[in-house]
Amino acid sequence: MKRHEFLRGLHRVTANRNYLEIGVNDGRSLRLSRVPSIAIDPAFKVATELKCDVHLVKATSDDFFARENPLAHLKGGRHPLRNLRRGRAPLGHWRRTVLDLSFIDGMHLFEYALRDFINVEKHSDWSSVIVFDDMLPRGVDEAARDRHTNAWTGDVYKIVEILARYRPDLVTVLVDTHPTGQLVVFGADPASTVLKDRYDDIVAEFLVPDPQKVPESILDRVEAVQPERLLGASFWSRLSRARNIGLRRSRGWEPLRRAVQQLDAGR
Ligand SMILES: C[S@@+](CC[C@H](N)C(=O)[O-])C[C@H]1O[C@@H](n2cnc3c(N)ncnc32)[C@H](O)[C@@H]1O
Protein backbone atom coordinates (compact mmCIF):
# COMPACT_ATOMS: atom_id res chain seq x y z
CA MET A 1 0.00 0.00 0.00
CA LYS A 2 1.29 3.46 -0.87
CA ARG A 3 1.90 5.96 1.92
CA HIS A 4 -0.90 8.34 0.92
CA GLU A 5 -3.37 5.48 0.70
CA PHE A 6 -2.42 4.52 4.24
CA LEU A 7 -2.80 8.10 5.37
CA ARG A 8 -6.22 8.23 3.72
CA GLY A 9 -7.09 5.09 5.68
CA LEU A 10 -5.94 6.73 8.92
CA HIS A 11 -8.19 9.73 8.31
CA ARG A 12 -11.06 7.23 7.94
CA VAL A 13 -10.38 4.91 10.88
CA THR A 14 -9.42 7.63 13.36
CA ALA A 15 -12.51 9.67 12.40
CA ASN A 16 -10.32 12.62 13.32
CA ARG A 17 -11.95 15.97 13.93
CA ASN A 18 -8.80 17.97 13.22
CA TYR A 19 -5.48 17.42 11.48
CA LEU A 20 -1.99 18.86 11.70
CA GLU A 21 0.61 18.35 9.00
CA ILE A 22 4.29 19.29 9.09
CA GLY A 23 5.75 19.30 5.56
CA VAL A 24 3.20 20.11 2.86
CA ASN A 25 5.22 20.35 -0.34
CA ASP A 26 2.69 20.26 -3.21
CA GLY A 27 -0.27 19.28 -1.01
CA ARG A 28 -0.63 15.62 -1.92
CA SER A 29 -1.02 14.52 1.70
CA LEU A 30 -2.94 17.62 2.78
CA ARG A 31 -5.58 17.07 0.11
CA LEU A 32 -6.70 13.96 2.03
CA SER A 33 -8.00 16.06 4.91
CA ARG A 34 -11.68 17.00 5.18
CA VAL A 35 -11.55 18.46 8.70
CA PRO A 36 -10.21 21.73 10.17
CA SER A 37 -6.48 21.55 9.58
CA ILE A 38 -3.17 23.29 10.15
CA ALA A 39 -0.39 22.62 7.66
CA ILE A 40 3.13 23.98 8.06
CA ASP A 41 5.89 24.35 5.50
CA PRO A 42 8.31 27.24 4.91
CA ALA A 43 8.30 26.53 1.17
CA PHE A 44 4.99 24.92 0.26
CA LYS A 45 3.97 24.97 -3.37
CA VAL A 46 0.46 23.62 -3.29
CA ALA A 47 -0.56 22.41 -6.72
CA THR A 48 -3.71 20.49 -5.88
CA GLU A 49 -7.25 21.34 -4.82
CA LEU A 50 -7.65 21.30 -1.04
CA LYS A 51 -10.97 20.30 0.47
CA CYS A 52 -10.56 21.33 4.07
CA ASP A 53 -10.67 24.47 6.16
CA VAL A 54 -6.94 24.98 6.52
CA HIS A 55 -4.51 27.39 8.11
CA LEU A 56 -1.60 27.05 5.69
CA VAL A 57 1.44 28.25 7.60
CA LYS A 58 4.48 29.52 5.72
CA ALA A 59 7.09 28.96 8.42
CA THR A 60 9.34 26.28 9.81
CA SER A 61 7.66 24.02 12.32
CA ASP A 62 9.96 25.30 15.08
CA ASP A 63 8.89 28.88 14.42
CA PHE A 64 5.25 27.87 14.19
CA PHE A 65 5.23 26.13 17.57
CA ALA A 66 7.03 29.09 19.16
CA ARG A 67 4.01 31.26 18.39
CA GLU A 68 1.50 32.16 21.03
CA ASN A 69 -1.53 29.89 20.74
CA PRO A 70 -0.36 28.14 17.53
CA LEU A 71 -3.50 26.01 17.26
CA ALA A 72 -5.88 28.97 17.37
CA HIS A 73 -7.31 27.96 14.00
CA LEU A 74 -8.63 24.73 15.49
CA LYS A 75 -10.22 26.42 18.50
CA GLY A 76 -13.46 25.02 19.73
CA GLY A 77 -12.47 22.47 22.31
CA ARG A 78 -12.80 18.76 22.00
CA HIS A 79 -14.88 17.76 25.00
CA PRO A 80 -18.50 18.80 24.78
CA LEU A 81 -19.85 19.98 28.12
CA ARG A 82 -22.64 17.42 28.06
CA ASN A 83 -20.07 14.67 28.43
CA LEU A 84 -18.58 15.92 31.64
CA ARG A 85 -19.72 12.92 33.59
CA ARG A 86 -17.80 10.84 36.07
CA GLY A 87 -14.57 9.53 34.58
CA ARG A 88 -14.65 11.96 31.72
CA ALA A 89 -12.97 15.26 31.10
CA PRO A 90 -13.25 17.72 33.96
CA LEU A 91 -14.60 21.18 33.30
CA GLY A 92 -11.22 22.90 33.18
CA HIS A 93 -10.04 20.70 30.32
CA TRP A 94 -12.65 21.22 27.71
CA ARG A 95 -11.17 24.27 26.08
CA ARG A 96 -7.72 22.85 25.39
CA THR A 97 -7.38 22.11 21.71
CA VAL A 98 -6.08 18.59 21.28
CA LEU A 99 -4.80 17.23 18.00
CA ASP A 100 -6.59 14.08 16.86
CA LEU A 101 -4.27 13.19 13.95
CA SER A 102 -0.84 14.62 13.13
CA PHE A 103 1.52 13.82 10.27
CA ILE A 104 5.22 14.64 10.71
CA ASP A 105 6.87 14.87 7.29
CA GLY A 106 8.97 18.05 7.37
CA MET A 107 12.76 18.29 7.47
CA HIS A 108 14.22 14.79 7.13
CA LEU A 109 16.86 15.03 9.81
CA PHE A 110 16.15 13.16 13.04
CA GLU A 111 16.67 16.13 15.36
CA TYR A 112 14.04 18.13 13.46
CA ALA A 113 11.58 15.23 13.51
CA LEU A 114 12.26 14.79 17.22
CA ARG A 115 11.50 18.45 17.93
CA ASP A 116 8.39 18.14 15.80
CA PHE A 117 7.25 15.21 17.92
CA ILE A 118 7.99 17.05 21.17
CA ASN A 119 5.92 20.01 19.97
CA VAL A 120 3.08 17.93 18.55
CA GLU A 121 2.86 15.81 21.71
CA LYS A 122 2.33 18.93 23.83
CA HIS A 123 -0.91 19.42 21.89
CA SER A 124 -1.93 15.76 21.84
CA ASP A 125 -3.36 13.25 24.29
CA TRP A 126 -3.41 9.49 24.89
CA SER A 127 -6.10 9.00 22.23
CA SER A 128 -4.32 11.09 19.58
CA VAL A 129 -2.59 9.44 16.65
CA ILE A 130 0.79 10.77 15.48
CA VAL A 131 2.38 9.52 12.26
CA PHE A 132 5.96 9.89 11.02
CA ASP A 133 6.79 9.44 7.36
CA ASP A 134 9.95 7.91 5.85
CA MET A 135 10.83 5.60 8.73
CA LEU A 136 12.05 2.72 6.54
CA PRO A 137 14.78 3.91 4.17
CA ARG A 138 15.66 1.41 1.44
CA GLY A 139 19.37 1.94 1.65
CA VAL A 140 22.20 3.84 3.28
CA ASP A 141 22.33 6.45 0.51
CA GLU A 142 18.66 7.32 0.92
CA ALA A 143 19.22 7.63 4.68
CA ALA A 144 22.16 10.03 4.42
CA ARG A 145 21.98 13.29 6.33
CA ASP A 146 23.59 15.04 3.42
CA ARG A 147 21.10 14.53 0.60
CA HIS A 148 22.57 13.13 -2.59
CA THR A 149 19.70 11.00 -3.93
CA ASN A 150 16.45 11.94 -5.62
CA ALA A 151 14.22 10.09 -3.15
CA TRP A 152 15.40 11.00 0.36
CA THR A 153 14.39 9.84 3.82
CA GLY A 154 17.38 11.26 5.66
CA ASP A 155 18.04 9.78 9.09
CA VAL A 156 14.58 10.23 10.62
CA TYR A 157 14.43 6.43 11.00
CA LYS A 158 16.42 7.01 14.23
CA ILE A 159 13.17 8.18 15.81
CA VAL A 160 12.13 4.50 16.09
CA GLU A 161 15.00 3.72 18.45
CA ILE A 162 14.85 7.06 20.26
CA LEU A 163 11.19 6.59 21.20
CA ALA A 164 11.72 2.95 22.14
CA ARG A 165 14.60 3.87 24.46
CA TYR A 166 13.42 7.12 25.96
CA ARG A 167 9.65 6.74 25.82
CA PRO A 168 8.70 3.13 26.52
CA ASP A 169 5.37 4.48 27.77
CA LEU A 170 4.36 5.12 24.15
CA VAL A 171 3.29 2.36 21.79
CA THR A 172 4.71 2.62 18.30
CA VAL A 173 3.86 0.60 15.21
CA LEU A 174 6.15 0.53 12.19
CA VAL A 175 4.14 0.19 9.01
CA ASP A 176 5.40 -1.35 5.78
CA THR A 177 4.04 1.25 3.36
CA HIS A 178 5.46 2.03 -0.05
CA PRO A 179 7.97 3.48 -0.61
CA THR A 180 9.66 4.27 2.71
CA GLY A 181 7.43 3.20 5.58
CA GLN A 182 5.70 5.05 8.37
CA LEU A 183 5.58 4.98 12.17
CA VAL A 184 2.32 5.36 14.04
CA VAL A 185 2.55 6.50 17.65
CA PHE A 186 -0.15 5.91 20.27
CA GLY A 187 -0.40 7.09 23.88
CA ALA A 188 0.92 10.63 23.64
CA ASP A 189 1.43 12.29 27.01
CA PRO A 190 1.44 16.09 26.87
CA ALA A 191 2.85 16.20 30.41
CA SER A 192 5.96 14.22 29.53
CA THR A 193 9.18 16.24 29.47
CA VAL A 194 11.59 13.32 28.98
CA LEU A 195 12.44 14.06 25.35
CA LYS A 196 12.81 17.78 25.96
CA ASP A 197 14.98 17.19 29.03
CA ARG A 198 17.17 14.63 27.25
CA TYR A 199 17.19 16.37 23.85
CA ASP A 200 20.87 17.43 23.99
CA ASP A 201 22.02 13.95 25.10
CA ILE A 202 19.97 12.32 22.36
CA VAL A 203 21.37 14.60 19.65
CA ALA A 204 24.91 14.11 20.94
CA GLU A 205 24.50 10.34 20.71
CA PHE A 206 22.59 9.99 17.45
CA LEU A 207 24.16 12.72 15.34
CA VAL A 208 26.91 10.93 13.43
CA PRO A 209 28.47 11.72 10.05
CA ASP A 210 27.48 9.87 6.88
CA PRO A 211 27.38 7.11 5.93
CA GLN A 212 24.69 6.23 8.46
CA LYS A 213 24.67 2.76 9.99
CA VAL A 214 21.05 1.95 9.25
CA PRO A 215 20.06 -1.14 11.30
CA GLU A 216 19.36 -4.31 9.31
CA SER A 217 15.97 -4.55 11.00
CA ILE A 218 15.05 -1.22 9.41
CA LEU A 219 16.41 -2.09 5.98
CA ASP A 220 14.74 -5.54 6.06
CA ARG A 221 11.50 -4.15 7.52
CA VAL A 222 11.32 -7.12 9.85
CA GLU A 223 9.41 -5.23 12.55
CA ALA A 224 6.92 -3.54 10.24
CA VAL A 225 3.27 -4.56 10.11
CA GLN A 226 1.25 -4.57 6.93
CA PRO A 227 -0.80 -1.37 6.62
CA GLU A 228 -4.00 -3.34 5.94
CA ARG A 229 -3.56 -5.09 9.27
CA LEU A 230 -3.26 -1.86 11.24
CA LEU A 231 -6.14 -0.17 9.41
CA GLY A 232 -8.30 -3.26 9.91
CA ALA A 233 -7.65 -3.50 13.66
CA SER A 234 -10.71 -3.62 15.90
CA PHE A 235 -9.67 -0.88 18.35
CA TRP A 236 -10.25 2.17 16.13
CA SER A 237 -13.91 2.71 16.89
CA ARG A 238 -13.24 2.34 20.63
CA LEU A 239 -10.41 4.84 20.33
CA SER A 240 -12.46 7.48 18.55
CA ARG A 241 -15.45 6.98 20.87
CA ALA A 242 -13.23 7.31 23.94
CA ARG A 243 -11.65 10.44 22.47
CA ASN A 244 -14.99 11.99 21.57
CA ILE A 245 -16.42 11.61 25.05
CA GLY A 246 -13.17 12.81 26.60
CA LEU A 247 -12.46 9.56 28.45
CA ARG A 248 -9.53 10.03 30.81
CA ARG A 249 -6.18 8.37 30.23
CA SER A 250 -6.58 6.43 33.48
CA ARG A 251 -9.70 4.77 32.06
CA GLY A 252 -8.88 4.45 28.39
CA TRP A 253 -5.17 4.07 27.73
CA GLU A 254 -4.43 0.67 29.24
CA PRO A 255 -6.99 -1.28 27.15
CA LEU A 256 -5.89 0.59 24.02
CA ARG A 257 -2.22 -0.05 24.77
CA ARG A 258 -2.88 -3.79 25.10
CA ALA A 259 -4.91 -3.88 21.89
CA VAL A 260 -2.20 -2.10 19.87
CA GLN A 261 0.59 -4.22 21.34
CA GLN A 262 -1.30 -7.38 20.50
CA LEU A 263 -1.41 -6.30 16.90
CA ASP A 264 2.32 -5.67 16.94
CA ALA A 265 3.03 -9.06 18.46
CA GLY A 266 1.02 -10.82 15.78
CA ARG A 267 2.99 -9.22 12.99
C1 LIG B 1 8.57 15.25 1.84
S1 LIG B 1 7.97 16.87 1.66
C2 LIG B 1 6.32 16.74 2.30
C3 LIG B 1 5.45 15.87 1.49
C4 LIG B 1 3.98 15.85 1.85
N1 LIG B 1 3.76 15.66 3.26
C5 LIG B 1 3.30 14.75 1.09
O1 LIG B 1 3.17 13.64 1.63
O2 LIG B 1 2.88 14.99 -0.05
C6 LIG B 1 8.83 17.71 2.92
C7 LIG B 1 8.47 19.16 3.05
O3 LIG B 1 8.98 19.60 4.30
C8 LIG B 1 9.27 20.96 4.18
N2 LIG B 1 10.16 21.38 5.27
C9 LIG B 1 11.52 21.43 5.26
N3 LIG B 1 11.96 21.89 6.43
C10 LIG B 1 10.87 22.14 7.19
C11 LIG B 1 10.68 22.66 8.50
N4 LIG B 1 11.73 22.99 9.28
N5 LIG B 1 9.41 22.78 8.97
C12 LIG B 1 8.35 22.43 8.19
N6 LIG B 1 8.48 21.93 6.95
C13 LIG B 1 9.71 21.79 6.46
C14 LIG B 1 9.86 21.11 2.80
O4 LIG B 1 9.72 22.44 2.34
C15 LIG B 1 9.07 20.08 2.01
O5 LIG B 1 8.06 20.70 1.25
Side-chain angles (χ1 to χ4, degrees):
M1 184 185 290
K2 290 184 181 165
R3 66 195 194 99
H4 285 150
E5 205 182 328
F6 177 62
L7 195 57
R8 187 195 305 279
L10 281 180
H11 278 278
R12 176 173 49 80
V13 294
T14 61
N16 57 314
R17 297 157 312 167
N18 60 42
Y19 175 66
L20 180 131
E21 176 169 292
I22 300 175
V24 175
N25 196 23
D26 60 8
R28 270 182 287 172
S29 47
L30 184 57
R31 76 174 170 195
L32 303 173
S33 179
R34 299 288 180 272
V35 293
S37 303
I38 294 177
I40 308 139
D41 192 319
F44 60 77
K45 37 184 189 286
V46 175
T48 184
E49 191 169 319
L50 301 177
K51 295 185 181 166
C52 60
D53 165 18
V54 62
H55 177 194
L56 198 49
V57 181
K58 199 173 183 65
T60 65
S61 46
D62 288 327
D63 286 350
F64 168 74
F65 283 110
R67 292 178 181 182
E68 197 176 323
N69 198 6
L71 303 192
H73 180 70
L74 305 178
K75 219 166 33 211
R78 70 182 297 191
H79 304 313
L81 283 169
R82 66 187 156 81
N83 283 319
L84 294 175
R85 296 208 299 267
R86 199 178 146 82
R88 298 180 178 173
L91 189 59
H93 281 198
W94 84 283
R95 283 182 198 282
R96 189 170 91 87
T97 300
V98 177
L99 296 168
D100 284 354
L101 177 63
S102 300
F103 185 43
I104 298 177
D105 188 21
M107 175 53 84
H108 285 179
L109 296 174
F110 82 87
E111 64 275 27
Y112 285 74
L114 179 58
R115 290 199 301 276
D116 285 344
F117 181 78
I118 292 169
N119 283 320
V120 166
E121 188 178 31
K122 272 189 232 151
H123 300 282
S124 301
D125 212 341
W126 69 269
S127 55
S128 304
V129 174
I130 303 173
V131 189
F132 288 92
D133 205 24
D134 298 303
M135 292 286 122
L136 296 168
R138 293 160 295 180
V140 169
D141 284 322
E142 196 168 58
R145 289 180 60 82
D146 190 8
R147 181 175 188 167
H148 58 271
T149 52
N150 190 20
W152 182 54
T153 62
D155 65 347
V156 291
Y157 70 85
K158 292 171 183 171
I159 291 293
V160 176
E161 187 182 339
I162 292 168
L163 293 186
R165 285 233 318 255
Y166 289 87
R167 293 294 307 280
D169 53 309
L170 300 169
V171 175
T172 60
V173 182
L174 261 174
V175 189
D176 188 3
T177 49
H178 179 80
T180 47
Q182 279 147 317
L183 183 75
V184 181
V185 182
F186 297 90
D189 179 1
S192 175
T193 60
V194 177
L195 296 172
K196 184 168 175 278
D197 296 344
R198 303 298 302 277
Y199 177 81
D200 290 343
D201 300 335
I202 296 171
V203 172
E205 178 183 348
F206 284 84
L207 205 165
V208 292
D210 291 331
Q212 301 300 316
K213 287 200 180 85
V214 186
E216 288 297 320
S217 61
I218 292 280
L219 293 173
D220 295 343
R221 302 187 170 212
V222 289
E223 284 165 16
V225 303
Q226 288 307 306
E228 294 82 358
R229 188 166 149 74
L230 179 53
L231 293 175
S234 58
F235 56 74
W236 291 110
S237 54
R238 268 182 291 142
L239 180 147
S240 57
R241 206 174 323 119
R243 179 197 65 206
N244 292 352
I245 64 170
L247 196 68
R248 286 181 182 168
R249 169 183 285 268
S250 57
R251 300 273 294 269
W253 170 231
E254 194 49 33
L256 175 68
R257 190 182 64 74
R258 278 199 303 270
V260 181
Q261 276 177 334
Q262 235 162 28
L263 171 117
D264 212 19
R267 172 172 58 227

mmCIF file of all heavy atoms in Angstrom, residues 21-22 33-34 75 81 95-96 119-120 149 152 156 161 167 187 211 214 221-222 227 256 266:
data_model
loop_
_atom_site.group_PDB
_atom_site.id
_atom_site.type_symbol
_atom_site.label_atom_id
_atom_site.label_comp_id
_atom_site.label_asym_id
_atom_site.label_seq_id
_atom_site.Cartn_x
_atom_site.Cartn_y
_atom_site.Cartn_z
ATOM 1 N N GLU A 21 -0.390 18.928 9.902
ATOM 2 C CA GLU A 21 0.610 18.352 9.004
ATOM 3 C C GLU A 21 1.867 19.213 9.020
ATOM 4 O O GLU A 21 1.796 20.432 8.839
ATOM 5 C CB GLU A 21 0.034 18.271 7.590
ATOM 6 C CG GLU A 21 1.028 17.763 6.562
ATOM 7 C CD GLU A 21 0.365 17.437 5.227
ATOM 8 O OE1 GLU A 21 -0.413 16.466 5.175
ATOM 9 O OE2 GLU A 21 0.609 18.164 4.254
ATOM 10 N N ILE A 22 3.014 18.578 9.193
ATOM 11 C CA ILE A 22 4.291 19.289 9.085
ATOM 12 C C ILE A 22 4.973 18.784 7.820
ATOM 13 O O ILE A 22 5.291 17.594 7.712
ATOM 14 C CB ILE A 22 5.168 19.028 10.330
ATOM 15 C CG1 ILE A 22 4.454 19.510 11.593
ATOM 16 C CG2 ILE A 22 6.523 19.727 10.174
ATOM 17 C CD1 ILE A 22 5.189 19.191 12.892
ATOM 18 N N SER A 33 -7.282 15.596 3.724
ATOM 19 C CA SER A 33 -8.002 16.063 4.909
ATOM 20 C C SER A 33 -9.337 16.702 4.541
ATOM 21 O O SER A 33 -9.429 17.463 3.579
ATOM 22 C CB SER A 33 -7.144 17.063 5.690
ATOM 23 O OG SER A 33 -7.863 17.512 6.817
ATOM 24 N N ARG A 34 -10.346 16.398 5.358
ATOM 25 C CA ARG A 34 -11.682 16.998 5.184
ATOM 26 C C ARG A 34 -12.109 17.739 6.450
ATOM 27 O O ARG A 34 -13.267 18.127 6.582
ATOM 28 C CB ARG A 34 -12.721 15.899 4.894
ATOM 29 C CG ARG A 34 -12.463 15.109 3.632
ATOM 30 C CD ARG A 34 -12.735 15.936 2.385
ATOM 31 N NE ARG A 34 -12.483 15.165 1.180
ATOM 32 C CZ ARG A 34 -11.299 15.078 0.585
ATOM 33 N NH1 ARG A 34 -10.253 15.736 1.072
ATOM 34 N NH2 ARG A 34 -11.145 14.359 -0.507
ATOM 35 N N LYS A 75 -9.537 26.158 17.229
ATOM 36 C CA LYS A 75 -10.224 26.423 18.500
ATOM 37 C C LYS A 75 -11.644 25.876 18.486
ATOM 38 O O LYS A 75 -12.289 25.796 17.475
ATOM 39 C CB LYS A 75 -10.252 27.910 18.787
ATOM 40 C CG LYS A 75 -10.039 28.162 20.245
ATOM 41 C CD LYS A 75 -9.724 29.553 20.656
ATOM 42 C CE LYS A 75 -10.338 30.664 19.871
ATOM 43 N NZ LYS A 75 -9.450 31.815 19.881
ATOM 44 N N LEU A 81 -19.501 19.869 26.712
ATOM 45 C CA LEU A 81 -19.852 19.977 28.125
ATOM 46 C C LEU A 81 -20.802 18.871 28.566
ATOM 47 O O LEU A 81 -20.732 18.397 29.675
ATOM 48 C CB LEU A 81 -20.502 21.347 28.376
ATOM 49 C CG LEU A 81 -19.507 22.496 28.448
ATOM 50 C CD1 LEU A 81 -20.243 23.825 28.422
ATOM 51 C CD2 LEU A 81 -18.656 22.401 29.690
ATOM 52 N N ARG A 95 -11.554 23.270 27.065
ATOM 53 C CA ARG A 95 -11.172 24.274 26.075
ATOM 54 C C ARG A 95 -9.841 23.973 25.392
ATOM 55 O O ARG A 95 -9.528 24.530 24.373
ATOM 56 C CB ARG A 95 -11.075 25.659 26.728
ATOM 57 C CG ARG A 95 -12.414 26.282 26.966
ATOM 58 C CD ARG A 95 -12.244 27.663 27.575
ATOM 59 N NE ARG A 95 -13.475 28.091 28.196
ATOM 60 C CZ ARG A 95 -14.511 28.550 27.532
ATOM 61 N NH1 ARG A 95 -14.466 28.627 26.230
ATOM 62 N NH2 ARG A 95 -15.597 28.915 28.161
ATOM 63 N N ARG A 96 -9.030 23.131 25.979
ATOM 64 C CA ARG A 96 -7.721 22.849 25.391
ATOM 65 C C ARG A 96 -7.907 22.180 24.030
ATOM 66 O O ARG A 96 -8.637 21.199 23.919
ATOM 67 C CB ARG A 96 -6.937 21.915 26.313
ATOM 68 C CG ARG A 96 -5.492 21.716 25.909
ATOM 69 C CD ARG A 96 -4.758 20.992 27.017
ATOM 70 N NE ARG A 96 -4.797 19.547 26.836
ATOM 71 C CZ ARG A 96 -3.932 18.848 26.108
ATOM 72 N NH1 ARG A 96 -2.957 19.468 25.500
ATOM 73 N NH2 ARG A 96 -4.031 17.549 26.010
ATOM 74 N N ASN A 119 6.907 18.922 20.085
ATOM 75 C CA ASN A 119 5.920 20.008 19.971
ATOM 76 C C ASN A 119 4.509 19.480 19.715
ATOM 77 O O ASN A 119 3.544 19.972 20.303
ATOM 78 C CB ASN A 119 6.333 20.967 18.850
ATOM 79 C CG ASN A 119 7.457 21.882 19.288
ATOM 80 O OD1 ASN A 119 7.469 22.364 20.420
ATOM 81 N ND2 ASN A 119 8.414 22.129 18.410
ATOM 82 N N VAL A 120 4.401 18.491 18.851
ATOM 83 C CA VAL A 120 3.076 17.925 18.549
ATOM 84 C C VAL A 120 2.508 17.249 19.801
ATOM 85 O O VAL A 120 1.325 17.382 20.118
ATOM 86 C CB VAL A 120 3.177 16.921 17.372
ATOM 87 C CG1 VAL A 120 1.917 16.071 17.272
ATOM 88 C CG2 VAL A 120 3.406 17.662 16.064
ATOM 89 N N THR A 149 20.542 11.869 -3.100
ATOM 90 C CA THR A 149 19.697 10.996 -3.927
ATOM 91 C C THR A 149 18.421 11.753 -4.252
ATOM 92 O O THR A 149 18.061 12.710 -3.554
ATOM 93 C CB THR A 149 19.315 9.714 -3.155
ATOM 94 O OG1 THR A 149 18.770 10.110 -1.881
ATOM 95 C CG2 THR A 149 20.493 8.799 -2.955
ATOM 96 N N TRP A 152 14.562 10.777 -0.824
ATOM 97 C CA TRP A 152 15.403 10.999 0.361
ATOM 98 C C TRP A 152 14.585 10.845 1.633
ATOM 99 O O TRP A 152 13.565 11.523 1.791
ATOM 100 C CB TRP A 152 15.992 12.405 0.289
ATOM 101 C CG TRP A 152 16.913 12.762 1.417
ATOM 102 C CD1 TRP A 152 18.005 12.067 1.833
ATOM 103 C CD2 TRP A 152 16.829 13.914 2.267
ATOM 104 N NE1 TRP A 152 18.617 12.706 2.876
ATOM 105 C CE2 TRP A 152 17.913 13.845 3.162
ATOM 106 C CE3 TRP A 152 15.957 14.997 2.351
ATOM 107 C CZ2 TRP A 152 18.149 14.813 4.149
ATOM 108 C CZ3 TRP A 152 16.176 15.961 3.323
ATOM 109 C CH2 TRP A 152 17.271 15.872 4.203
ATOM 110 N N VAL A 156 15.704 10.184 9.662
ATOM 111 C CA VAL A 156 14.584 10.235 10.616
ATOM 112 C C VAL A 156 14.215 8.846 11.146
ATOM 113 O O VAL A 156 13.529 8.746 12.165
ATOM 114 C CB VAL A 156 13.329 10.935 10.020
ATOM 115 C CG1 VAL A 156 13.559 12.413 9.834
ATOM 116 C CG2 VAL A 156 12.903 10.290 8.703
ATOM 117 N N GLU A 161 14.207 4.142 17.294
ATOM 118 C CA GLU A 161 15.001 3.722 18.448
ATOM 119 C C GLU A 161 14.920 4.751 19.594
ATOM 120 O O GLU A 161 14.875 4.396 20.765
ATOM 121 C CB GLU A 161 16.470 3.529 18.026
ATOM 122 C CG GLU A 161 17.290 2.941 19.153
ATOM 123 C CD GLU A 161 18.765 2.761 18.808
ATOM 124 O OE1 GLU A 161 19.097 2.711 17.601
ATOM 125 O OE2 GLU A 161 19.571 2.692 19.759
ATOM 126 N N ARG A 167 11.084 6.623 25.529
ATOM 127 C CA ARG A 167 9.647 6.740 25.820
ATOM 128 C C ARG A 167 8.940 5.384 25.697
ATOM 129 O O ARG A 167 8.037 5.199 24.873
ATOM 130 C CB ARG A 167 9.014 7.755 24.857
ATOM 131 C CG ARG A 167 9.472 9.187 25.044
ATOM 132 C CD ARG A 167 9.018 9.772 26.400
ATOM 133 N NE ARG A 167 7.576 9.624 26.580
ATOM 134 C CZ ARG A 167 6.677 10.428 26.033
ATOM 135 N NH1 ARG A 167 7.058 11.448 25.325
ATOM 136 N NH2 ARG A 167 5.390 10.221 26.232
ATOM 137 N N GLY A 187 -0.623 6.880 22.438
ATOM 138 C CA GLY A 187 -0.403 7.086 23.879
ATOM 139 C C GLY A 187 0.321 8.367 24.221
ATOM 140 O O GLY A 187 0.978 8.451 25.272
ATOM 141 N N PRO A 211 28.632 7.821 6.162
ATOM 142 C CA PRO A 211 27.382 7.111 5.927
ATOM 143 C C PRO A 211 26.743 6.635 7.226
ATOM 144 O O PRO A 211 27.453 6.245 8.157
ATOM 145 C CB PRO A 211 27.818 5.922 5.069
ATOM 146 C CG PRO A 211 29.243 5.680 5.447
ATOM 147 C CD PRO A 211 29.827 7.015 5.789
ATOM 148 N N VAL A 214 22.474 2.252 9.119
ATOM 149 C CA VAL A 214 21.045 1.951 9.247
ATOM 150 C C VAL A 214 20.902 0.495 9.713
ATOM 151 O O VAL A 214 21.462 -0.407 9.082
ATOM 152 C CB VAL A 214 20.320 2.134 7.894
ATOM 153 C CG1 VAL A 214 18.824 1.966 8.074
ATOM 154 C CG2 VAL A 214 20.648 3.495 7.285
ATOM 155 N N ARG A 221 12.909 -4.401 7.131
ATOM 156 C CA ARG A 221 11.502 -4.153 7.523
ATOM 157 C C ARG A 221 10.933 -5.274 8.384
ATOM 158 O O ARG A 221 9.725 -5.534 8.357
ATOM 159 C CB ARG A 221 10.621 -3.938 6.290
ATOM 160 C CG ARG A 221 11.094 -2.790 5.430
ATOM 161 C CD ARG A 221 10.162 -2.466 4.312
ATOM 162 N NE ARG A 221 10.589 -1.197 3.707
ATOM 163 C CZ ARG A 221 9.770 -0.316 3.159
ATOM 164 N NH1 ARG A 221 8.476 -0.534 3.127
ATOM 165 N NH2 ARG A 221 10.235 0.806 2.652
ATOM 166 N N VAL A 222 11.797 -5.930 9.137
ATOM 167 C CA VAL A 222 11.321 -7.121 9.855
ATOM 168 C C VAL A 222 10.294 -6.781 10.938
ATOM 169 O O VAL A 222 9.485 -7.622 11.312
ATOM 170 C CB VAL A 222 12.487 -7.924 10.489
ATOM 171 C CG1 VAL A 222 13.301 -8.619 9.427
ATOM 172 C CG2 VAL A 222 13.384 -7.023 11.334
ATOM 173 N N PRO A 227 0.145 -2.460 6.370
ATOM 174 C CA PRO A 227 -0.799 -1.368 6.622
ATOM 175 C C PRO A 227 -2.249 -1.834 6.717
ATOM 176 O O PRO A 227 -3.021 -1.320 7.539
ATOM 177 C CB PRO A 227 -0.603 -0.435 5.426
ATOM 178 C CG PRO A 227 0.261 -1.166 4.446
ATOM 179 C CD PRO A 227 0.989 -2.211 5.193
ATOM 180 N N LEU A 256 -6.350 0.269 25.372
ATOM 181 C CA LEU A 256 -5.889 0.589 24.016
ATOM 182 C C LEU A 256 -4.453 0.109 23.832
ATOM 183 O O LEU A 256 -4.098 -0.496 22.819
ATOM 184 C CB LEU A 256 -5.983 2.102 23.747
ATOM 185 C CG LEU A 256 -5.400 2.529 22.392
ATOM 186 C CD1 LEU A 256 -6.237 1.999 21.233
ATOM 187 C CD2 LEU A 256 -5.297 4.056 22.287
ATOM 188 N N GLY A 266 1.498 -9.867 16.776
ATOM 189 C CA GLY A 266 1.017 -10.818 15.780
ATOM 190 C C GLY A 266 1.479 -10.510 14.375
ATOM 191 O O GLY A 266 0.942 -11.023 13.412
#
